[in-house]
Amino acid sequence: MLNTYQSTLIKKHPSLPARIMRIVTPHGEVLTPTFMPVGTRAMLNYATPTDLEANGSRLILGGNTYHMLCTPGMDVIESVGGMHKFMGWPHAMLTDSGGFQVFSLAKKGSVCIIDEDGAVFKHPLTGKIIHLNPKTSIQTQKMIGADIIMAFDQCTPEAGGRETALAALDRTHRWLVLSKKEHEKNPSSYYGLRQALFGIIQGGSFRDLREQSTHFILQQDLDGIGIGGEVIGFNMPKTCEIIDWVRPMLPENKIRYTMGVGLGPQDLIDVVAKGIDIFDCVAPTRNARHGTLYYGEIIERDGWLAFEHPQARTQVSNIEKCRILIKKNNYAKDDAPIMPNCSCYTCQHFSRAYLHYLFKEGLIAYFHLASIHNIHVMQAVCTHMRELILKV
Ligand SMILES: [Zn+2]
């Protein structure tokens, strides 16, 4: 393995901004587009690293900075040699800055205070005061040892209007400069491996603010570019519109990351068509836990792809149709796999009837098998996109 970070354009789609990039990290290579499963608490809910390798995952979001600061604490992570070793993941890893979690906490009330210096919050169990700011966020991410780390930012809430979006943008930019300064003191992890620093474009749903933020982020000459804010991934038409605003400004050789995109397989297809390379979302595993399993066919049409229900191609609400609610009684005696054309371990070995039974009884095996399927579908869609871009 090379102790370096590089991103290289491999091939562009001839008529869309979609592309294949190669990322080289100290923990191996990654081809994009790729979905990053999220290991919030240093594990994927009900999926092992072996499960993730089997479905083609080579880049994960490992251990959120906020959660790792709280439990088990950075002294534990550092003492075992970093997050890769701690959670048994040998491939590439990205971690977050903790900004999104403190934003979520602050929205819930007084448990967290955000000001110009950063965020101050109480440890949820011990009551210990924890400071998260550009300096401590970057140092924590260096202890985690992820291959890609994120500048500390303030997530832009959608409800606040232009004034709030502008304030979050200004603060994010000031924090970016401090994050970069901290990173450049030694651009490696505590374990001596090169780390890439990504900045995050904010600006809410305001075109001029998004463009202003993009301009600022690019001036900092970082390793890659995140596109953040509450709207991203939550409102997909607006997410695609925002990407269209900023993409013409973005360099071709840097990775583009929409943060929190992936409620379902079609969302990945939509942002890759707009020129995005990587994305993360907790939805596939959360959906699986709640009994919602992805179901559909990956269709090639007009030089691109769609994830569609086989019998509902004309339906407007196709996304809602592309799911099986396994709790429904009509699956109790259904001996078909979740998705007949799926090559995941679950679909190759088990029926809907079995999964229905496991779910109804609340048996742990259900959560494991369901998570394997949903993550597999997200990666299968990415594999199809790479294959299509290569052949057209
Ligand atoms: Zn499957």
Side-chain angles (χ1 to χ4, degrees), residues 30-342:
V30 181
L31 286 177
T32 76
T34 194
F35 173 73
M36 294 189 286
V38 183
T40 304
R41 294 173 186 270
M43 57 144 210
L44 267 289
N45 283 314
Y46 305 105
T48 66
T50 305
D51 296 327
L52 297 179
E53 284 177 331
N55 66 37
S57 301
R58 289 295 179 274
L59 174 64
I60 64 167
L61 200 161
N64 289 100
T65 288
Y66 165 78
H67 290 294
M68 291 302 100
L69 271 172
C70 293
T71 313
M74 296 320 300
D75 54 332
V76 173
I77 303 294
E78 193 185 354
S79 68
V80 299
M83 186 64 73
H84 287 87
K85 286 184 182 170
F86 186 57
M87 65 184 288
W89 178 250
H91 306 291
M93 181 187 291
L94 178 149
T95 189
D96 70 352
S97 68
F100 184 75
Q101 268 78 24
V102 294
F103 163 77
S104 304
L105 282 176
K107 269 182 87 178
K108 288 176 190 164
S110 59
V111 69
C112 173
I113 298 163
I114 300 178
D115 63 18
E116 182 52 34
D117 293 332
V120 179
F121 58 92
K122 275 187 181 176
H123 188 291
L125 297 176
T126 65
K128 184 184 159 197
I129 299 295
I130 299 177
H131 293 264
L132 198 55
N133 54 44
K135 187 171 181 172
T136 59
S137 170
I138 293 295
Q139 285 303 324
T140 304
Q141 294 182 78
K142 289 185 175 299
M143 276 186 248
I144 286 174
D147 304 285
I148 300 173
I149 65 175
M150 303 300 296
F152 190 63
D153 69 318
Q154 182 170 1
C155 186
T156 310
E158 268 310 277
R162 186 180 173 86
E163 207 169 307
T164 307
L166 185 57
L169 177 146
D170 283 341
R171 186 170 277 170
T172 293
H173 291 175
R174 286 193 293 274
W175 286 352
L176 171 61
V177 173
L178 296 173
S179 296
K180 185 185 176 206
K181 192 175 161 196
E182 189 65 22
H183 173 63
E184 289 185 341
K185 287 179 187 169
N186 178 3
S188 296
S189 69
Y190 274 38
Y191 321 103
L193 299 176
R194 174 72 163 82
Q195 292 179 301
L197 176 67
F198 283 24
I200 301 170
I201 297 168
Q202 293 289 349
S205 295
F206 301 95
R207 180 169 188 160
D208 62 323
L209 298 187
R210 285 284 179 183
E211 289 172 347
Q212 187 185 325
S213 186
T214 306
H215 184 66
F216 186 88
I217 302 289
L218 293 180
Q219 276 184 334
Q220 302 303 312
D221 194 24
L222 303 158
D223 297 304
I225 293 123
I227 303 176
E230 200 176 28
V231 68
I232 300 296
F234 179 71
N235 178 337
M236 282 307 295
K238 184 55 81 175
T239 298
C240 289
E241 194 180 352
I242 290 167
I243 299 167
D244 277 339
W245 294 340
V246 306
R247 188 190 54 250
M249 303 168 71
L250 300 178
E252 284 204 328
N253 63 336
K254 290 188 179 174
I255 293 296
R256 306 159 182 173
Y257 164 29
T258 42
M259 305 172 74
V261 164
L263 292 178
Q266 185 62 46
D267 291 358
L268 307 189
I269 294 170
D270 290 343
V271 296
V272 172
K274 297 290 181 187
I276 297 300
D277 308 307
I278 62 174
F279 16 73
D280 72 288
C281 192
V282 295
T285 45
R286 190 178 56 208
N287 283 334
R289 287 201 301 284
H290 294 156
T292 302
L293 305 173
Y294 298 139
Y295 169 71
E297 288 179 347
I298 304 168
I299 308 291
E300 191 175 329
R301 185 192 298 132
D302 301 329
W304 194 229
L305 299 173
F307 187 78
E308 294 187 338
H309 190 292
Q311 285 96 42
R313 288 184 190 156
T314 56
Q315 294 283 342
V316 176
S317 58
N318 188 51
I319 287 176
E320 290 307 312
K321 300 270 180 211
C322 288
R323 292 159 183 224
I324 279 179
L325 302 180
I326 200 67
K327 69 178 179 189
K328 287 190 171 177
N329 284 335
N330 55 315
Y331 299 121
K333 295 179 179 174
D334 188 340
D335 68 352
I338 305 166
M339 221 169 93
N341 51 2
C342 180

Side-chain angles (χ1 to χ4, degrees), residues 294 337-348 369-370 372-374 376-377:
Y294 298 139
I338 305 166
M339 221 169 93
N341 51 2
C342 180
S343 61
C344 86
Y345 171 77
T346 305
C347 289
Q348 292 297 307
L369 296 175
I372 285 176
H373 170 76
N374 273 7
H376 180 95
V377 173

